[in-house]
Amino acid sequence: MNKLTDRVTLRHGAELNDRIVMAPMVTWGGTDTGEVTQEQLDYYARRSQVAGMIITEATYVDPEGIAFKGELGISNDRYLPGLKKLAKTIQSHGAKAILQLHHGGREAGVYYDRGGLPVVPSQMDFPFIDYPVRQLTKEQIHTIIEEFAEATKRAIDAGFDGVEIHGANHYLLQQFFSAYSNHREDEYGGTLRKRMEFELEIVDQVLEVAKKYAKKDFIIGIRISPDEIHGDNVGFTYKENQAFIKELNKKDLDYVHVAGNFVKGFKYVPQGADNDITTLYKEVLSPEIKLIGCGSVFNAKEAEEAIQEADLIAIAREALIEPEFAKKIHEGHETDIISEVSPEILPDLKWTKSLTNIIVKGEGVTGKHAQHGYVQALPLPNDDSIKQYQGGFTKRF
């Protein structure tokens, strides 16, 4: 039986203190030009004992891919001083620091607001965005692949223990994999295998850079969505994802991270399947590659249940609420883990100002759609208690 406190050795020798991972979560806390801020350092410092491996929020490899207000950059060497501080902050209590590499593609509303046209695999109308987009040329695709490689070198130079390639949540890599958004007729679209090509070439380039410049135990993972089915629009099913995982098995990866379904989490059962996504993907994944499950875990019991299916479990909203999740488990204080947010604990959580205002006030969200650069805040357990406390935040922030 797997235990949360098991030490885990990854493929290239990196050793994790436990089976707990902090999932990447946007803080909206960087500067307008993508630098790390002190409030972000405070946020990550407070969570330096939340898990044995901590994955940063998305960092853009190209300014054309900026999808969030305050998104961090890694597209230029000028970001290195702040990223070095971030890596050291995360590592301060022994956690592995993983930097997430990101390109928003059509979701780069911030780039549009700054005068650009977000890029897509194929020219088409997207009813859920309110700005025009432009199709990538083959040469531009090659440039983006190289940008992921260059960003990996910067992550190495900044002292991170690894990188995660963001292939989930409807951003550019998923847009290439999706039959809904990819109608190309060259080597980057058409068949299922060709829709994988963009992501696979990025993986290859990232691996090549790590092999050349990083320590042997440098960690490389990829995050994927469980599936993409929105009514009649089917981007890919779990079966196509299984085929993708079989291609990833041929790569020298340390882990595959499956983004959890919001409602069902790691137990999400895809349409037409007879098992949950964690089990479905674990059974086709090479044993040399660890599987990270994710979603709707708020206590030690749920986390322990998850690691009987996955190798590691990533906590997201719970990491916002309980910055000492792993620490308390290691110390045998599981019953002291906090699983609900309240006004009383907020000052200790070190949320960024923007994160606080989005969760508490719904700032940046209007009607059915989030304003460009924001996402709809997901509800936290007991968050009504802090929303009722809005008056206090008006004075405090």
Side-chain angles (χ1 to χ4, degrees):
M1 179 175 173
N2 290 335
K3 296 182 179 179
L4 291 170
T5 54
D6 290 341
R7 295 186 71 85
V8 179
T9 302
L10 302 182
R11 184 177 204 160
H12 296 106
E15 190 172 12
L16 310 183
N17 292 331
D18 47 60
R19 294 184 182 272
I20 305 164
V21 176
M22 179 171 129
M25 291 179 286
V26 180
T27 66
W28 298 279
T31 69
D32 287 343
T33 50
E35 285 87 2
V36 176
T37 60
Q38 185 58 50
E39 66 172 354
Q40 285 177 307
L41 295 176
D42 294 342
Y43 166 91
Y44 283 100
R46 186 66 186 94
R47 284 160 184 78
S48 60
Q49 299 181 81
V50 76
M53 187 166 79
I54 295 172
I55 306 169
T56 71
E57 57 203 277
T59 57
Y60 58 83
V61 301
D62 186 320
E64 292 185 355
I66 300 174
F68 310 110
K69 296 283 177 63
E71 182 172 356
L72 296 180
I74 195 169
S75 58
N76 190 289
D77 287 348
R78 68 185 175 87
Y79 296 118
L80 285 175
L83 292 172
K84 288 178 180 179
K85 291 179 183 178
L86 179 57
K88 287 182 179 179
T89 297
I90 293 172
Q91 296 160 342
S92 60
H93 286 92
K96 298 297 184 184
I98 309 298
L99 188 138
Q100 190 185 61
L101 306 177
H102 170 257
H103 193 302
R106 69 168 184 247
E107 303 297 322
V110 174
Y111 175 59
Y112 171 75
D113 290 341
R114 294 176 179 176
L117 283 180
V119 299
V120 293
S122 302
Q123 198 70 45
M124 59 181 287
D125 292 327
F126 296 98
F128 42 82
I129 59 176
D130 59 359
Y131 45 81
V133 293
R134 61 183 171 88
Q135 178 173 316
L136 285 163
T137 66
K138 199 180 299 185
E139 291 73 20
Q140 290 167 338
I141 290 172
H142 296 160
T143 296
I144 293 172
I145 292 168
E146 182 59 29
E147 287 172 335
F148 273 86
E150 292 169 354
T152 302
K153 176 60 165 59
R154 292 190 186 100
I156 294 167
D157 292 342
F160 283 89
D161 298 296
V163 294
E164 177 175 279
I165 300 164
H166 197 345
N169 302 117
H170 299 91
Y171 298 120
L172 185 61
L173 275 67
Q174 180 172 327
Q175 291 161 30
F176 268 87
F177 185 54
S178 168
Y180 168 70
S181 51
N182 186 348
H183 305 280
R184 300 182 70 94
E185 297 180 351
D186 57 13
E187 61 265 43
Y188 293 105
T191 66
L192 172 60
R193 178 58 182 79
K194 287 183 177 180
R195 297 202 315 271
M196 301 176 190
E197 185 63 23
F198 179 59
E199 289 190 75
L200 293 174
E201 288 189 20
I202 288 173
V203 170
D204 285 340
Q205 289 298 307
V206 168
L207 286 166
E208 185 175 321
V209 168
K211 186 176 181 180
K212 185 174 181 180
Y213 296 107
K215 295 179 181 178
K216 183 181 179 182
D217 64 354
F218 192 76
I219 300 165
I220 298 175
I222 186 170
R223 196 175 206 218
I224 62 174
S225 288
D227 57 16
E228 183 186 304
I229 301 175
H230 300 288
D232 294 332
N233 292 329
V234 179
F236 54 90
T237 66
Y238 79 91
K239 291 183 179 179
E240 290 169 308
N241 242 356
Q242 286 180 320
F244 182 45
I245 288 172
K246 289 176 182 178
E247 289 296 322
L248 292 174
N249 284 342
K250 303 172 185 178
K251 310 299 180 182
D252 202 21
L253 291 169
D254 287 280
Y255 70 81
V256 170
H257 182 183
V258 182
N261 172 276
F262 168 56
V263 178
K264 300 291 186 179
F266 69 95
K267 294 181 178 180
Y268 167 61
V269 177
Q271 184 175 311
D274 58 3
N275 220 326
D276 62 71
I277 54 166
T278 310
T279 300
L280 289 168
Y281 296 156
K282 180 66 174 175
E283 60 190 26
V284 296
L285 186 65
S286 166
E288 292 183 289
I289 302 174
K290 302 299 184 186
L291 181 69
I292 303 178
C294 184
S296 299
V297 168
F298 290 98
N299 55 54
K301 181 180 179 182
E302 291 171 347
E304 192 165 84
E305 180 183 353
I307 59 165
Q308 305 316 312
E309 297 185 34
D311 300 296
L312 305 162
I313 181 63
I315 58 172
R317 288 173 292 161
E318 176 61 12
L320 294 178
I321 300 168
E322 177 52 271
E324 297 182 356
F325 190 86
K327 179 177 185 283
K328 290 181 178 180
I329 291 172
H330 280 285
E331 294 176 348
H333 297 153
E334 292 93 336
T335 56
D336 294 335
I337 287 175
I338 298 170
S339 298
E340 291 188 346
V341 71
S342 67
E344 292 73 25
I345 68 171
L346 273 174
D348 183 54
L349 298 180
K350 302 297 182 184
W351 291 351
T352 66
K353 178 181 177 180
S354 293
L355 178 61
T356 303
N357 287 339
I358 288 167
I359 292 175
V360 177
K361 297 181 179 180
E363 264 188 23
V365 178
T366 56
K368 295 181 180 179
H369 302 288
Q371 294 177 11
H372 301 160
Y374 295 96
V375 295
Q376 185 80 38
L378 298 179
L380 299 175
N382 191 41
D383 65 4
D384 283 345
S385 68
I386 59 172
K387 289 176 180 177
Q388 292 168 6
Y389 198 60
Q390 284 186 33
F393 285 113
T394 302
K395 296 175 184 176
R396 190 173 304 176
F397 291 97

